[in-house]
Amino acid sequence: MSTVTKIPHDVKDLALADAGRLRIEWADQFMPTLATIRKRFAKEQPLRGIRVAACLHVTTETANLILTLQQGGAQAVLCASNPLSTQNDVAACLVRDYNIPVYAIKGENHDTYYSHLDATLQSRPHFTMDDGADLVTLAHTQRSDLAGDIRAGTEETTTGVIRLRSMAEQKVLRYPIIAVNDADTKHMFDNRYGTGQSTLDGIMRATNVLIAGLRVVVAGYGWCGRGIAMRAHGLGANVIVTEVNPTRALEAVMDGYQVMTMPEAAQAGDLFISATGNKSVLAREHFERMKDGALLANSGHFNVEIDIPALEKMAASRRTMREFVEEFRMADGRRIYLLAEGRLVNLSSAEGHPASVMDMSFANQALCAEYLAKNAGQLEKKVYPVPEEIDRTVARIKLEAMRVHIDRLSPEQEKYLASWNEGT
Ligand code: ADE
């Protein structure tokens, strides 16, 4: 295959495309829901003529989503939603073999990251497909001049949805967005089982530590935190949860975990994993109390959960021990290890969520794009939930692919559920 392309792009090396092609095909085997949608899209062309600017983690799973949009008639342009999550071989393959303009290089710096978002917006998209809301933010701020054609968008992750709701509340949101994250078939699976497995995978690949017997502190008991705690427990860790929400804290207690404040947990933990969506969850007052050898990892969307500037200030020296593991030596001799520069550990030092869970998330994305192609004109400048019919459809196709059959209500049962007068 030729390595010469006229497609605009900025990727690490087009020669990596062969490896990317095989890995994309491998992931596709585990994405039957998306494959079913792709086949229908190829026939029906629901996205014909629509320009989509996607700002997502550039992975094998994302590649299969982008190819589904392309099969549906869309012209997609892709950039990375995180500087460290790009799989360079995938980026190369999408450019060389599928003519998709891609702007993403693993390890890109802040300026390159934003220049890639900018290049993506220069395609003058009709839809944005964002993961974390950086692209939408850019289209509402410095590059609002490029946002004139945007009709609607979708958002993949909890952090992005929070930012967009804040924009809607402040009445600055300029177009409707569907919160894909909030679909049951997204967050109940992707955030819990996906983040649970891939976070532990990232930590183990980065460090090769034995999880059994470690005291693992999980900050945040949302869907991601629940998944991380569950998988750490499954690997033999003693799990401690920290929370600010009393209901979630109670749930963690009744799920069998120890719950305490972070200052208390800081003294006890061997491995700290943040999944809160908030900043400075691990900060100076915690670093001061940590044991020698404490490991710090983040699984939240942004690299603000661990106060890295504070850690840097406290350190007498630092060195890279192995890829994705940096040692900070305190003046008193204690060593604290930061994994993956405090960025999403699951996508930085591993490959993100497995394909079979992204199958459902990205099936929601594809069906929401189709929905927006039909309905964007009728929507207000708000954040919308995923239509229930789409959520159900994704669950139904996934179950069919897994050859799992479920019962149906009988007519009498339906009638019973709709009535009130039959009691004891
Ligand atoms: N977010 C988490 N895991 C992912 C993956 N494998 N691909 C794209 N986005 C992700």
Side-chain angles (χ1 to χ4, degrees), residues 171-198:
K171 305 229 179 305
V172 295
L173 188 63
R174 287 177 54 186
Y175 54 88
I177 307 241
I178 298 185
V180 167
N181 179 71
D182 295 357
D184 285 347
T185 48
K186 199 280 184 181
H187 65 266
M188 286 171 63
F189 302 92
D190 171 317
N191 300 25
R192 182 168 40 174
Y193 303 112
T195 308
Q197 178 168 322
S198 62

Short mmCIF file of all heavy atoms in Angstrom, two decimals, residues 171-198:
data_model
loop_
_atom_site.label_atom_id
_atom_site.label_comp_id
_atom_site.label_asym_id
_atom_site.label_seq_id
_atom_site.Cartn_x
_atom_site.Cartn_y
_atom_site.Cartn_z
N LYS A 171 -26.07 29.91 29.92
CA LYS A 171 -26.68 30.33 28.65
C LYS A 171 -25.63 30.74 27.60
O LYS A 171 -25.86 31.66 26.80
CB LYS A 171 -27.67 31.48 28.87
CG LYS A 171 -28.76 31.19 29.89
CD LYS A 171 -30.13 31.55 29.35
CE LYS A 171 -31.26 31.26 30.31
NZ LYS A 171 -31.36 29.90 30.82
N VAL A 172 -24.49 30.07 27.63
CA VAL A 172 -23.48 30.38 26.60
C VAL A 172 -23.36 29.25 25.56
O VAL A 172 -22.69 29.43 24.54
CB VAL A 172 -22.08 30.66 27.22
CG1 VAL A 172 -22.11 31.92 28.07
CG2 VAL A 172 -21.58 29.49 28.05
N LEU A 173 -24.03 28.14 25.82
CA LEU A 173 -23.94 27.01 24.87
C LEU A 173 -24.63 27.40 23.57
O LEU A 173 -25.79 27.83 23.58
CB LEU A 173 -24.60 25.76 25.50
CG LEU A 173 -24.43 24.46 24.73
CD1 LEU A 173 -22.96 24.04 24.65
CD2 LEU A 173 -25.23 23.33 25.40
N ARG A 174 -23.91 27.23 22.45
CA ARG A 174 -24.45 27.76 21.17
C ARG A 174 -25.15 26.71 20.33
O ARG A 174 -25.69 27.01 19.28
CB ARG A 174 -23.30 28.37 20.37
CG ARG A 174 -22.85 29.69 20.96
CD ARG A 174 -21.68 30.28 20.21
NE ARG A 174 -21.93 30.41 18.78
CZ ARG A 174 -21.02 30.79 17.90
NH1 ARG A 174 -19.80 31.08 18.29
NH2 ARG A 174 -21.32 30.89 16.61
N TYR A 175 -25.11 25.45 20.75
CA TYR A 175 -25.83 24.41 19.98
C TYR A 175 -26.15 23.22 20.89
O TYR A 175 -25.53 23.08 21.94
CB TYR A 175 -25.03 23.99 18.74
CG TYR A 175 -23.61 23.53 18.98
CD1 TYR A 175 -23.33 22.19 19.27
CD2 TYR A 175 -22.55 24.41 18.88
CE1 TYR A 175 -22.02 21.76 19.46
CE2 TYR A 175 -21.24 23.99 19.08
CZ TYR A 175 -20.98 22.65 19.36
OH TYR A 175 -19.70 22.22 19.56
N PRO A 176 -27.16 22.42 20.51
CA PRO A 176 -27.56 21.30 21.36
C PRO A 176 -26.52 20.18 21.39
O PRO A 176 -25.85 19.94 20.39
CB PRO A 176 -28.86 20.79 20.70
CG PRO A 176 -28.79 21.27 19.29
CD PRO A 176 -27.99 22.53 19.29
N ILE A 177 -26.42 19.55 22.57
CA ILE A 177 -25.46 18.44 22.71
C ILE A 177 -26.16 17.27 23.39
O ILE A 177 -26.90 17.46 24.37
CB ILE A 177 -24.26 18.87 23.60
CG1 ILE A 177 -23.63 20.15 23.09
CG2 ILE A 177 -23.28 17.72 23.76
CD1 ILE A 177 -22.21 20.09 22.66
N ILE A 178 -25.91 16.09 22.90
CA ILE A 178 -26.44 14.90 23.56
C ILE A 178 -25.35 14.32 24.47
O ILE A 178 -24.21 14.09 24.04
CB ILE A 178 -26.90 13.83 22.55
CG1 ILE A 178 -28.04 14.38 21.70
CG2 ILE A 178 -27.36 12.57 23.29
CD1 ILE A 178 -28.66 13.39 20.75
N ALA A 179 -25.74 14.09 25.74
CA ALA A 179 -24.80 13.55 26.74
C ALA A 179 -24.76 12.03 26.62
O ALA A 179 -25.48 11.32 27.33
CB ALA A 179 -25.25 13.97 28.13
N VAL A 180 -23.94 11.54 25.71
CA VAL A 180 -23.84 10.09 25.50
C VAL A 180 -23.44 9.39 26.80
O VAL A 180 -23.91 8.29 27.10
CB VAL A 180 -22.84 9.79 24.35
CG1 VAL A 180 -22.46 8.32 24.29
CG2 VAL A 180 -23.45 10.23 23.02
N ASN A 181 -22.60 10.06 27.58
CA ASN A 181 -22.15 9.45 28.85
C ASN A 181 -23.32 8.98 29.71
O ASN A 181 -23.21 7.99 30.42
CB ASN A 181 -21.32 10.46 29.65
CG ASN A 181 -20.88 9.87 30.97
OD1 ASN A 181 -20.02 8.99 31.01
ND2 ASN A 181 -21.48 10.30 32.07
N ASP A 182 -24.43 9.71 29.64
CA ASP A 182 -25.52 9.44 30.58
C ASP A 182 -26.43 8.29 30.16
O ASP A 182 -27.32 7.92 30.91
CB ASP A 182 -26.32 10.73 30.83
CG ASP A 182 -25.46 11.79 31.53
OD1 ASP A 182 -24.29 11.46 31.85
OD2 ASP A 182 -25.92 12.91 31.73
N ALA A 183 -26.22 7.75 28.96
CA ALA A 183 -27.00 6.55 28.57
C ALA A 183 -26.66 5.41 29.54
O ALA A 183 -25.50 5.26 29.93
CB ALA A 183 -26.65 6.14 27.14
N ASP A 184 -27.66 4.62 29.91
CA ASP A 184 -27.39 3.47 30.78
C ASP A 184 -26.38 2.53 30.13
O ASP A 184 -25.49 2.00 30.79
CB ASP A 184 -28.69 2.69 31.05
CG ASP A 184 -29.59 3.42 32.04
OD1 ASP A 184 -29.12 4.37 32.69
OD2 ASP A 184 -30.77 3.03 32.14
N THR A 185 -26.55 2.32 28.81
CA THR A 185 -25.64 1.39 28.12
C THR A 185 -24.25 1.98 27.95
O THR A 185 -23.37 1.31 27.39
CB THR A 185 -26.21 0.97 26.75
OG1 THR A 185 -26.62 2.13 26.05
CG2 THR A 185 -27.37 -0.01 26.91
N LYS A 186 -24.04 3.22 28.38
CA LYS A 186 -22.69 3.78 28.41
C LYS A 186 -22.13 3.68 29.82
O LYS A 186 -21.31 2.82 30.11
CB LYS A 186 -22.69 5.22 27.88
CG LYS A 186 -21.31 5.72 27.43
CD LYS A 186 -20.44 6.14 28.57
CE LYS A 186 -19.12 6.72 28.17
NZ LYS A 186 -18.32 7.09 29.34
N HIS A 187 -22.65 4.53 30.74
CA HIS A 187 -21.91 4.66 32.01
C HIS A 187 -21.97 3.41 32.89
O HIS A 187 -21.03 3.14 33.63
CB HIS A 187 -22.36 5.90 32.79
CG HIS A 187 -23.77 5.86 33.25
ND1 HIS A 187 -24.80 6.40 32.54
CD2 HIS A 187 -24.33 5.33 34.37
CE1 HIS A 187 -25.94 6.23 33.20
NE2 HIS A 187 -25.68 5.57 34.30
N MET A 188 -23.05 2.62 32.80
CA MET A 188 -23.11 1.44 33.67
C MET A 188 -22.09 0.37 33.27
O MET A 188 -21.78 -0.53 34.05
CB MET A 188 -24.51 0.83 33.62
CG MET A 188 -25.53 1.64 34.38
SD MET A 188 -27.21 1.05 34.11
CE MET A 188 -27.12 -0.60 34.79
N PHE A 189 -21.58 0.48 32.06
CA PHE A 189 -20.66 -0.55 31.56
C PHE A 189 -19.26 0.03 31.32
O PHE A 189 -18.29 -0.45 31.88
CB PHE A 189 -21.25 -1.17 30.28
CG PHE A 189 -22.61 -1.75 30.55
CD1 PHE A 189 -23.77 -0.99 30.36
CD2 PHE A 189 -22.73 -3.03 31.07
CE1 PHE A 189 -25.02 -1.51 30.67
CE2 PHE A 189 -23.98 -3.55 31.37
CZ PHE A 189 -25.13 -2.79 31.17
N ASP A 190 -19.20 1.07 30.49
CA ASP A 190 -17.92 1.71 30.15
C ASP A 190 -17.26 2.26 31.42
O ASP A 190 -16.11 1.92 31.76
CB ASP A 190 -18.24 2.80 29.13
CG ASP A 190 -17.11 3.74 28.78
OD1 ASP A 190 -16.40 4.19 29.68
OD2 ASP A 190 -16.95 4.08 27.59
N ASN A 191 -18.01 3.10 32.16
CA ASN A 191 -17.41 3.77 33.31
C ASN A 191 -17.06 2.76 34.41
O ASN A 191 -16.07 2.92 35.12
CB ASN A 191 -18.34 4.84 33.86
CG ASN A 191 -18.68 5.91 32.84
OD1 ASN A 191 -18.62 5.66 31.63
ND2 ASN A 191 -19.04 7.09 33.27
N ARG A 192 -17.92 1.75 34.56
CA ARG A 192 -17.68 0.79 35.66
C ARG A 192 -16.72 -0.34 35.22
O ARG A 192 -15.60 -0.41 35.69
CB ARG A 192 -19.02 0.21 36.12
CG ARG A 192 -18.86 -0.76 37.27
CD ARG A 192 -20.15 -1.12 37.94
NE ARG A 192 -21.27 -1.31 37.03
CZ ARG A 192 -22.46 -1.75 37.43
NH1 ARG A 192 -22.67 -2.04 38.69
NH2 ARG A 192 -23.45 -1.90 36.56
N TYR A 193 -17.15 -1.17 34.29
CA TYR A 193 -16.30 -2.33 33.93
C TYR A 193 -15.11 -1.91 33.08
O TYR A 193 -14.03 -2.49 33.19
CB TYR A 193 -17.13 -3.40 33.21
CG TYR A 193 -18.31 -3.86 34.03
CD1 TYR A 193 -19.60 -3.58 33.63
CD2 TYR A 193 -18.11 -4.52 35.24
CE1 TYR A 193 -20.68 -3.97 34.40
CE2 TYR A 193 -19.18 -4.92 36.02
CZ TYR A 193 -20.46 -4.63 35.60
OH TYR A 193 -21.53 -5.01 36.37
N GLY A 194 -15.33 -0.94 32.20
CA GLY A 194 -14.24 -0.47 31.34
C GLY A 194 -13.14 0.20 32.16
O GLY A 194 -11.97 -0.20 32.13
N THR A 195 -13.54 1.22 32.94
CA THR A 195 -12.53 1.93 33.74
C THR A 195 -11.94 1.00 34.80
O THR A 195 -10.74 1.06 35.08
CB THR A 195 -13.16 3.17 34.42
OG1 THR A 195 -13.81 3.95 33.42
CG2 THR A 195 -12.11 4.02 35.12
N GLY A 196 -12.79 0.16 35.38
CA GLY A 196 -12.30 -0.77 36.41
C GLY A 196 -11.15 -1.61 35.89
O GLY A 196 -10.05 -1.64 36.47
N GLN A 197 -11.37 -2.26 34.77
CA GLN A 197 -10.34 -3.16 34.23
C GLN A 197 -9.14 -2.39 33.67
O GLN A 197 -7.99 -2.71 33.96
CB GLN A 197 -10.95 -4.07 33.15
CG GLN A 197 -9.90 -4.99 32.52
CD GLN A 197 -10.51 -6.09 31.67
OE1 GLN A 197 -11.55 -6.64 32.02
NE2 GLN A 197 -9.86 -6.43 30.57
N SER A 198 -9.43 -1.35 32.87
CA SER A 198 -8.31 -0.70 32.17
C SER A 198 -7.43 0.11 33.13
O SER A 198 -6.22 0.26 32.89
CB SER A 198 -8.82 0.18 31.03
OG SER A 198 -9.65 1.22 31.50
#
